[in-house]
Coordinates of all heavy atoms in Angstrom, one line a residue:
M1 N -6.8 19.2 -8.8 CA -6.1 18.2 -9.5 C -6.8 16.8 -9.3 O -7.1 16.5 -8.2 CB -4.7 18.1 -9.1 CG -3.9 17.0 -9.7 SD -2.2 16.9 -9.1 CE -1.5 18.4 -9.6
K2 N -7.1 16.1 -10.4 CA -7.7 14.8 -10.3 C -6.8 13.7 -9.8 O -5.6 13.6 -10.2 CB -8.3 14.4 -11.6 CG -9.1 13.1 -11.6 CD -9.7 12.8 -12.9 CE -10.4 11.5 -12.8 NZ -10.7 10.9 -14.1
N3 N -7.2 12.9 -8.9 CA -6.4 11.7 -8.4 C -6.3 10.7 -9.5 O -7.3 10.2 -9.9 CB -7.0 11.2 -7.1 CG -6.2 10.1 -6.5 OD1 -5.2 9.7 -7.0 ND2 -6.6 9.7 -5.3
S4 N -5.1 10.3 -9.9 CA -4.9 9.3 -10.9 C -4.7 7.9 -10.3 O -4.5 7.0 -11.1 CB -3.8 9.7 -11.8 OG -2.6 9.7 -11.1
N5 N -4.8 7.8 -9.0 CA -4.6 6.5 -8.4 C -5.9 5.7 -8.4 O -6.6 5.7 -7.4 CB -4.1 6.6 -6.9 CG -2.7 7.2 -6.9 OD1 -1.9 7.1 -7.8 ND2 -2.4 7.9 -5.8
Q6 N -6.1 5.0 -9.5 CA -7.4 4.3 -9.7 C -7.1 2.8 -9.6 O -6.1 2.3 -10.2 CB -8.1 4.6 -11.0 CG -8.5 6.1 -11.0 CD -9.2 6.4 -12.3 OE1 -9.4 5.6 -13.2 NE2 -9.6 7.7 -12.5
I7 N -8.0 2.1 -9.0 CA -7.8 0.6 -8.9 C -8.5 0.0 -10.1 O -9.7 0.4 -10.4 CB -8.4 0.1 -7.6 CG1 -7.5 0.6 -6.4 CG2 -8.5 -1.4 -7.6 CD1 -7.9 0.1 -5.1
N8 N -7.9 -0.9 -10.8 CA -8.5 -1.5 -12.0 C -9.7 -2.3 -11.7 O -10.6 -2.4 -12.6 CB -7.4 -2.3 -12.8 CG -6.3 -1.4 -13.4 OD1 -6.6 -0.3 -13.7 ND2 -5.1 -2.0 -13.5
V9 N -9.7 -3.0 -10.6 CA -10.8 -3.8 -10.2 C -11.4 -3.2 -8.9 O -10.9 -3.3 -7.8 CB -10.3 -5.3 -9.9 CG1 -11.5 -6.1 -9.5 CG2 -9.6 -5.8 -11.0
P10 N -12.5 -2.5 -9.1 CA -13.1 -1.7 -8.0 C -13.4 -2.6 -6.8 O -13.3 -2.1 -5.6 CB -14.4 -1.2 -8.6 CG -14.2 -1.1 -10.0 CD -13.3 -2.3 -10.3
E11 N -13.7 -3.9 -7.0 CA -14.0 -4.8 -5.9 C -12.8 -5.0 -5.0 O -12.8 -5.5 -3.9 CB -14.5 -6.1 -6.4 CG -15.8 -6.0 -7.1 CD -15.7 -5.6 -8.6 OE1 -14.6 -5.7 -9.1 OE2 -16.7 -5.2 -9.1
A12 N -11.6 -4.7 -5.5 CA -10.3 -4.9 -4.8 C -10.0 -3.7 -3.8 O -9.0 -3.8 -3.1 CB -9.2 -5.2 -5.8
R13 N -10.7 -2.7 -3.9 CA -10.3 -1.5 -3.1 C -10.2 -1.8 -1.6 O -9.2 -1.4 -1.0 CB -11.4 -0.4 -3.3 CG -11.0 0.9 -2.4 CD -11.8 2.1 -2.8 NE -11.6 2.5 -4.1 CZ -10.5 3.2 -4.6 NH1 -9.5 3.4 -3.8 NH2 -10.5 3.5 -5.8
E14 N -11.1 -2.5 -1.0 CA -11.0 -2.8 0.4 C -9.8 -3.6 0.7 O -9.1 -3.4 1.7 CB -12.3 -3.6 0.9 CG -12.4 -3.8 2.3 CD -13.7 -4.5 2.8 OE1 -14.7 -4.2 2.1 OE2 -13.6 -5.2 3.8
A15 N -9.5 -4.6 -0.1 CA -8.3 -5.5 0.1 C -7.0 -4.6 0.0 O -6.1 -4.8 0.8 CB -8.3 -6.6 -0.9
M16 N -7.0 -3.7 -1.0 CA -5.8 -2.9 -1.2 C -5.6 -1.9 0.0 O -4.5 -1.7 0.5 CB -5.9 -2.1 -2.5 CG -5.7 -2.9 -3.7 SD -4.1 -3.7 -3.7 CE -3.0 -2.4 -3.9
D17 N -6.7 -1.4 0.5 CA -6.7 -0.5 1.7 C -6.1 -1.3 2.9 O -5.3 -0.8 3.7 CB -8.0 0.1 2.0 CG -8.4 1.2 1.0 OD1 -7.6 1.7 0.3 OD2 -9.6 1.5 1.0
K18 N -6.6 -2.5 3.1 CA -6.1 -3.3 4.2 C -4.6 -3.6 4.0 O -3.8 -3.6 5.0 CB -6.9 -4.6 4.2 CG -6.6 -5.5 5.4 CD -7.4 -6.8 5.4 CE -7.0 -7.7 6.5 NZ -7.8 -9.0 6.5
F19 N -4.2 -4.0 2.8 CA -2.8 -4.2 2.5 C -1.9 -3.0 2.8 O -0.9 -3.1 3.4 CB -2.7 -4.6 1.0 CG -1.3 -5.0 0.5 CD1 -0.5 -5.8 1.2 CD2 -0.9 -4.4 -0.6 CE1 0.8 -6.1 0.8 CE2 0.4 -4.7 -1.1 CZ 1.2 -5.6 -0.4
K20 N -2.4 -1.8 2.4 CA -1.7 -0.6 2.7 C -1.5 -0.4 4.2 O -0.4 0.0 4.6 CB -2.4 0.6 2.0 CG -1.6 1.9 2.1 CD -2.2 3.1 1.4 CE -3.6 3.0 0.9 NZ -4.1 4.2 0.3
M21 N -2.6 -0.6 4.9 CA -2.5 -0.4 6.4 C -1.6 -1.4 7.0 O -0.8 -1.0 7.9 CB -3.9 -0.5 7.0 CG -4.9 0.5 6.5 SD -4.4 2.2 7.0 CE -5.4 2.5 8.3
Q22 N -1.6 -2.6 6.5 CA -0.7 -3.6 7.1 C 0.8 -3.2 6.8 O 1.6 -3.3 7.6 CB -1.0 -5.0 6.4 CG -0.1 -6.1 6.9 CD -0.3 -7.4 6.2 OE1 -1.2 -7.5 5.3 NE2 0.4 -8.4 6.5
A23 N 1.1 -2.8 5.5 CA 2.4 -2.4 5.2 C 2.9 -1.2 6.0 O 4.0 -1.1 6.5 CB 2.5 -2.0 3.7
A24 N 2.0 -0.2 6.3 CA 2.3 0.9 7.1 C 2.6 0.5 8.5 O 3.6 1.0 9.1 CB 1.2 1.9 7.1
S25 N 1.9 -0.4 9.0 CA 2.1 -0.9 10.4 C 3.5 -1.6 10.5 O 4.2 -1.5 11.4 CB 1.0 -1.9 10.8 OG 1.3 -2.5 12.0
E26 N 3.8 -2.4 9.4 CA 5.1 -3.1 9.4 C 6.3 -2.2 9.4 O 7.4 -2.5 10.0 CB 5.2 -4.0 8.2 CG 4.2 -5.2 8.3 CD 4.2 -6.0 7.1 OE1 4.9 -5.8 6.1 OE2 3.4 -7.0 7.1
V27 N 6.2 -1.0 8.8 CA 7.3 -0.1 8.8 C 7.2 1.0 9.8 O 8.0 2.0 9.9 CB 7.5 0.5 7.4 CG1 7.9 -0.5 6.4 CG2 6.3 1.3 6.9
G28 N 6.2 1.0 10.7 CA 6.0 1.9 11.8 C 5.5 3.3 11.4 O 5.8 4.2 12.1
V29 N 4.7 3.3 10.3 CA 4.1 4.6 9.9 C 2.6 4.6 10.4 O 1.9 3.7 10.2 CB 4.1 4.7 8.4 CG1 3.4 6.0 7.9 CG2 5.6 4.8 7.9
N30 N 2.2 5.7 11.0 CA 0.9 5.9 11.5 C 0.0 6.3 10.4 O -0.3 7.5 10.2 CB 0.9 6.9 12.7 CG -0.5 7.0 13.3 OD1 -1.3 6.1 13.2 ND2 -0.7 8.0 14.0
L31 N -0.6 5.4 9.7 CA -1.5 5.7 8.5 C -2.9 5.6 9.0 O -3.2 4.7 9.8 CB -1.2 4.6 7.4 CG -1.8 4.9 6.1 CD1 -1.0 6.1 5.5 CD2 -1.5 3.7 5.2
K32 N -3.7 6.5 8.6 CA -5.1 6.5 9.0 C -6.0 6.5 7.8 O -5.6 6.8 6.7 CB -5.4 7.7 9.9 CG -5.1 9.0 9.3 CD -5.1 10.1 10.4 CE -4.5 11.5 9.9 NZ -3.2 11.5 9.5
N33 N -7.2 6.1 8.0 CA -8.2 6.1 6.9 C -8.5 7.5 6.4 O -8.6 8.4 7.3 CB -9.5 5.4 7.3 CG -9.4 3.9 7.4 OD1 -8.7 3.3 6.6 ND2 -10.0 3.4 8.4
G34 N -8.6 7.8 5.2 CA -8.8 9.1 4.7 C -7.5 9.8 4.3 O -6.6 9.3 3.9
Y35 N -7.5 11.1 4.6 CA -6.4 12.0 4.3 C -5.2 11.7 5.1 O -5.2 11.6 6.3 CB -6.9 13.5 4.5 CG -5.8 14.5 4.2 CD1 -5.5 14.8 2.9 CD2 -5.1 15.2 5.2 CE1 -4.5 15.7 2.5 CE2 -4.2 16.1 4.9 CZ -3.9 16.4 3.5 OH -2.9 17.3 3.2
N36 N -4.0 11.6 4.4 CA -2.8 11.4 5.1 C -1.7 12.4 4.6 O -0.5 12.0 4.5 CB -2.3 9.9 4.9 CG -3.0 8.9 5.7 OD1 -2.8 8.8 6.9 ND2 -3.9 8.2 5.1
G37 N -2.1 13.6 4.3 CA -1.2 14.6 3.8 C -0.2 15.1 4.8 O 0.7 15.8 4.4
D38 N -0.3 14.6 6.0 CA 0.7 15.0 7.0 C 1.9 14.1 7.1 O 2.8 14.4 7.8 CB 0.0 15.1 8.4 CG -0.7 13.8 8.8 OD1 -1.0 13.0 7.9 OD2 -0.8 13.5 10.0
L39 N 1.9 13.1 6.3 CA 3.0 12.2 6.2 C 4.2 12.8 5.5 O 4.0 13.6 4.5 CB 2.7 10.9 5.5 CG 1.6 9.9 6.1 CD1 1.5 8.7 5.2 CD2 2.1 9.5 7.5
T40 N 5.4 12.5 5.9 CA 6.5 13.0 5.2 C 6.7 12.1 3.9 O 6.2 11.0 3.8 CB 7.8 12.9 6.0 OG1 8.1 11.5 6.3 CG2 7.7 13.6 7.4
S41 N 7.5 12.6 3.0 CA 7.8 11.8 1.8 C 8.5 10.5 2.1 O 8.2 9.5 1.5 CB 8.7 12.6 0.8 OG 8.0 13.8 0.4
R42 N 9.3 10.6 3.1 CA 10.0 9.4 3.6 C 9.0 8.3 4.1 O 9.2 7.1 3.8 CB 11.1 9.7 4.6 CG 11.9 8.5 5.1 CD 12.8 9.0 6.2 NE 13.8 7.9 6.4 CZ 15.1 8.0 6.2 NH1 15.6 9.1 5.7 NH2 15.9 7.0 6.4
E43 N 8.1 8.8 4.9 CA 7.1 7.8 5.5 C 6.2 7.2 4.4 O 6.0 6.0 4.3 CB 6.2 8.5 6.5 CG 6.9 8.9 7.8 CD 6.1 9.8 8.7 OE1 5.3 10.7 8.2 OE2 6.2 9.6 9.9
A44 N 5.7 8.1 3.5 CA 4.9 7.6 2.4 C 5.7 6.6 1.5 O 5.1 5.6 1.1 CB 4.4 8.8 1.6
G45 N 6.9 7.0 1.2 CA 7.7 6.1 0.4 C 8.0 4.8 1.0 O 8.1 3.8 0.3
S46 N 8.2 4.8 2.3 CA 8.5 3.5 3.0 C 7.2 2.6 3.0 O 7.4 1.4 2.8 CB 8.9 3.7 4.4 OG 7.9 4.3 5.2
V47 N 6.1 3.2 3.0 CA 4.8 2.4 2.9 C 4.8 1.8 1.5 O 4.5 0.6 1.3 CB 3.6 3.2 3.2 CG1 2.3 2.4 2.9 CG2 3.6 3.6 4.7
G48 N 4.9 2.6 0.5 CA 4.9 2.1 -0.9 C 6.0 1.1 -1.2 O 5.7 0.1 -1.8
G49 N 7.2 1.3 -0.6 CA 8.2 0.4 -0.8 C 8.0 -1.0 -0.2 O 8.3 -2.0 -0.7
Q50 N 7.4 -0.9 1.0 CA 7.0 -2.2 1.7 C 5.9 -2.9 0.9 O 6.0 -4.2 0.8 CB 6.5 -1.9 3.1 CG 6.2 -3.1 3.9 CD 7.4 -3.9 4.3 OE1 8.5 -3.6 4.1 NE2 7.1 -5.0 5.0
M51 N 5.0 -2.2 0.3 CA 4.0 -2.9 -0.5 C 4.6 -3.6 -1.7 O 4.2 -4.7 -2.0 CB 2.9 -1.8 -0.9 CG 2.0 -1.3 0.2 SD 0.9 0.0 -0.3 CE -0.3 -0.9 -1.2
V52 N 5.5 -2.9 -2.4 CA 6.1 -3.5 -3.5 C 7.0 -4.7 -3.1 O 6.9 -5.7 -3.8 CB 7.0 -2.4 -4.2 CG1 7.9 -3.1 -5.3 CG2 6.2 -1.3 -4.9
K53 N 7.7 -4.6 -2.0 CA 8.5 -5.7 -1.5 C 7.6 -6.9 -1.3 O 7.9 -8.0 -1.7 CB 9.2 -5.3 -0.2 CG 10.0 -6.4 0.4 CD 10.7 -5.9 1.7 CE 11.4 -7.0 2.4 NZ 11.9 -6.6 3.7
K54 N 6.4 -6.7 -0.6 CA 5.5 -7.8 -0.3 C 4.9 -8.4 -1.6 O 4.7 -9.6 -1.7 CB 4.4 -7.3 0.6 CG 4.8 -6.9 1.9 CD 5.3 -8.1 2.7 CE 4.5 -8.1 4.0 NZ 4.9 -9.3 4.8
M55 N 4.6 -7.6 -2.6 CA 4.1 -8.1 -3.9 C 5.1 -8.9 -4.6 O 4.8 -9.9 -5.2 CB 3.6 -6.9 -4.7 CG 2.3 -6.3 -4.2 SD 1.6 -5.0 -5.3 CE 2.5 -3.6 -4.7
I56 N 6.4 -8.5 -4.6 CA 7.4 -9.2 -5.2 C 7.6 -10.6 -4.5 O 7.7 -11.6 -5.2 CB 8.7 -8.4 -5.3 CG1 8.6 -7.3 -6.3 CG2 9.9 -9.3 -5.7 CD1 9.7 -6.3 -6.2
E57 N 7.6 -10.6 -3.2 CA 7.7 -11.8 -2.4 C 6.6 -12.8 -2.8 O 6.8 -14.0 -3.0 CB 7.7 -11.5 -0.9 CG 9.0 -10.9 -0.4 CD 8.9 -10.5 1.1 OE1 7.8 -10.6 1.7 OE2 9.9 -10.0 1.6
A58 N 5.4 -12.3 -2.9 CA 4.2 -13.1 -3.2 C 4.4 -13.7 -4.6 O 4.1 -14.9 -4.8 CB 2.9 -12.3 -3.1
Y59 N 4.8 -12.9 -5.5 CA 5.0 -13.3 -6.9 C 6.1 -14.5 -6.9 O 5.9 -15.5 -7.6 CB 5.4 -12.2 -7.8 CG 5.6 -12.6 -9.3 CD1 4.5 -12.8 -10.1 CD2 6.9 -12.8 -9.8 CE1 4.6 -13.2 -11.4 CE2 7.0 -13.2 -11.1 CZ 5.9 -13.4 -11.9 OH 6.1 -13.8 -13.2
E60 N 7.2 -14.2 -6.2 CA 8.2 -15.2 -6.2 C 7.8 -16.5 -5.6 O 8.2 -17.6 -6.0 CB 9.5 -14.7 -5.5 CG 10.2 -13.6 -6.2 CD 11.3 -13.0 -5.4 OE1 11.4 -13.1 -4.2 OE2 12.2 -12.3 -6.1
Q61 N 7.0 -16.4 -4.5 CA 6.4 -17.6 -3.9 C 5.5 -18.4 -4.9 O 5.6 -19.6 -4.9 CB 5.6 -17.2 -2.7 CG 6.3 -16.7 -1.5 CD 7.1 -17.8 -0.8 OE1 6.7 -18.9 -0.7 NE2 8.2 -17.4 -0.1
G62 N 4.8 -17.7 -5.7 CA 3.9 -18.3 -6.7 C 4.7 -19.0 -7.8 O 4.2 -19.9 -8.5
M63 N 6.0 -18.6 -8.0 CA 6.8 -19.2 -9.1 C 7.4 -20.5 -8.7 O 7.8 -21.3 -9.5 CB 7.9 -18.2 -9.5 CG 7.4 -17.0 -10.1 SD 8.8 -15.8 -10.5 CE 9.7 -16.8 -11.7
Q64 N 7.4 -20.8 -7.4 CA 8.0 -22.0 -6.9 C 7.1 -23.2 -7.0 O 6.0 -23.2 -7.1 CB 8.4 -21.9 -5.4 CG 9.5 -20.8 -5.3 CD 9.9 -20.6 -3.8 OE1 9.3 -21.2 -2.9 NE2 10.9 -19.7 -3.6

């Protein structure tokens, strides 16, 4: 199965990886570089949720 998680701006990959690791650290999920198939759905979802929360906060800050 092909991975459909593609970054629109290839130059942003490193920043997105750093952002993901930071979000994982904030919610207490042990994320590592590479394969993370051992994470539970709850752990993976909490990382994604934290990322969305941070993006919304950043957008709201920019609106002020």
